[in-house]
Amino acid sequence: MKKINECFICVECGKEISLAAKTCRNHCPFCFTSLHVDGEVPGDRASACKGMMYPIAYELKNSDYKILFRCAPCGKEHWNKRAEDDEIVSLPILIGKYKERFMK
Ligand SMILES: [Zn+2]
Ligand SMILES: [Zn+2]
């Protein structure tokens, strides 16, 4: 029987992302991009958009980071908790970089 390989290649940075230990991983831990796949309920995969979502802001709440993502094509925004293996130190730099993409 073929084992299901729960990995995907990030479309933004090209790194391989393992989904094995994570149940709700939906953004890349290296470049923090994700795809707009969810509709109104997180995890429902009901969105037909499938656009790229980029982090645009973050806040520290109860010693946990929350990240605000915005979809580039449709403008939908949603908050997401960081994942444990996110490279959180590079997040402020990346937010600055992605800002340019929303000024077009
Ligand atoms: Zn990436
Ligand atoms: Zn979208």
Side-chain angles (χ1 to χ4, degrees):
M1 211 172 108
K2 197 174 174 285
K3 204 172 163 238
I4 298 161
N5 190 3
E6 296 222 74
C7 285
F8 68 95
I9 305 292
C10 175
V11 289
E12 175 71 21
C13 70
K15 290 197 173 83
E16 191 178 285
I17 299 139
S18 170
L19 296 175
K22 304 281 171 225
T23 49
C24 54
R25 151 78 65 216
N26 57 9
H27 61 267
C28 174
F30 307 105
C31 67
F32 290 87
T33 57
S34 65
L35 289 177
H36 185 188
V37 289
D38 290 341
E40 290 310 309
V41 183
D44 66 4
R45 299 294 187 262
S47 173
C49 177
K50 309 285 191 289
M52 292 292 291
M53 300 191 79
Y54 299 103
I56 55 163
Y58 67 95
E59 63 176 25
L60 192 55
K61 225 180 194 180
N62 304 324
S63 71
D64 212 359
Y65 281 94
K66 286 184 77 186
I67 307 163
L68 182 63
F69 292 88
R70 182 186 288 163
C71 179
C74 80
K76 186 183 163 69
E77 296 181 357
H78 78 96
W79 286 95
N80 214 311
K81 273 203 303 198
R82 68 168 291 197
E84 278 165 39
D85 54 353
D86 283 349
E87 293 194 12
I88 204 82
V89 286
S90 52
L91 182 60
I93 303 151
L94 288 164
I95 286 173
K97 198 179 104 184
Y98 294 137
K99 248 182 207 148
E100 296 163 23
R101 306 194 183 199
F102 292 104
M103 289 192 291
K104 279 174 214 162

